[in-house]
Amino acid sequence: MKIAKPRLVIDPFEWLRGYGESRVSFYSVGPDVILDIQYEKEAVVDSEEVVLTIKREIVFMSVRCFIREPFPGGTMFEFDGDSCEFQLGKLTEFRNSEWVREDLKAWRSASSHEPLELKHFSIQFLSENLTFHVLAADVFLSNELSRS
């Protein structure tokens, strides 16, 4: 399936250390899918430098479809455009996505209800060698959370 017209949504390297994430996992809560990203951060606690394990969550709201694949590896998506437009490791929305069009077509053939306006999001985690593709209504990034 062809994807094109990428738009940067979140750049994890604004808050991740240079070597990236320590661990990535995912889970769902109702119709939402949450990517749990753990990473290390240096901090000063009681005048002593320590390394804390922190996490942030990328929350995809009202998810219709979710794909997890190894990265690098085979993919069902073919990027159509100038490769310098697409930045690996960053949460990207593809404003032109055959996946979105096909899902909308399938929805309309099976339902008379108005479908959600879905967006195709993608992110690669280079240290974990994973990529995620998500059809969702929207996405947001949590604040830093202590690992529990």
Side-chain angles (χ1 to χ4, degrees), residues 82-140:
D82 185 351
S83 61
C84 69
E85 295 176 342
F86 181 33
Q87 301 174 10
L88 293 176
K90 299 179 182 187
L91 182 64
T92 303
E93 175 192 350
F94 292 102
R95 293 171 292 169
N96 187 347
S97 169
E98 194 174 343
W99 193 26
V100 171
R101 285 190 303 276
E102 291 298 319
D103 184 80
L104 183 58
K105 183 178 169 183
W107 175 273
R108 287 190 170 139
S109 72
S111 176
S112 61
H113 293 46
E114 189 63 29
L116 281 175
E117 188 172 317
L118 296 175
K119 301 173 185 175
H120 179 174
F121 297 101
S122 178
I123 188 168
Q124 304 75 34
F125 292 99
L126 307 177
S127 294
E128 289 287 298
N129 297 341
L130 291 173
T131 189
F132 293 93
H133 287 272
V134 184
L135 282 186
D138 210 353
V139 64
F140 73 89

Side-chain angles (χ1 to χ4, degrees), residues 7-119:
R7 180 183 71 87
L8 175 65
V9 179
I10 297 170
D11 182 353
F13 290 99
E14 291 178 358
W15 43 272
L16 277 176
R17 296 187 52 150
Y19 52 81
E21 67 280 354
S22 302
R23 184 172 160 245
V24 176
S25 59
F26 65 93
Y27 60 96
S28 64
V29 175
D32 301 338
V33 171
I34 295 109
L35 295 182
D36 184 294
I37 306 156
Q38 293 184 18
Y39 57 100
E40 295 178 346
K41 180 178 180 179
E42 294 175 357
V44 176
V45 176
D46 298 328
S47 302
E48 188 175 327
E49 192 170 303
V50 296
V51 177
L52 302 173
T53 300
I54 303 292
K55 76 175 187 172
R56 286 187 99 163
E57 296 175 336
I58 297 177
V59 180
F60 296 96
M61 296 177 290
S62 299
V63 172
R64 175 81 49 93
C65 300
F66 177 80
I67 298 171
R68 175 182 167 244
E69 298 179 308
F71 176 83
T75 181
M76 61 189 277
F77 299 101
E78 176 186 348
F79 182 68
D80 185 22
D82 185 351
S83 61
C84 69
E85 295 176 342
F86 181 33
Q87 301 174 10
L88 293 176
K90 299 179 182 187
L91 182 64
T92 303
E93 175 192 350
F94 292 102
R95 293 171 292 169
N96 187 347
S97 169
E98 194 174 343
W99 193 26
V100 171
R101 285 190 303 276
E102 291 298 319
D103 184 80
L104 183 58
K105 183 178 169 183
W107 175 273
R108 287 190 170 139
S109 72
S111 176
S112 61
H113 293 46
E114 189 63 29
L116 281 175
E117 188 172 317
L118 296 175
K119 301 173 185 175

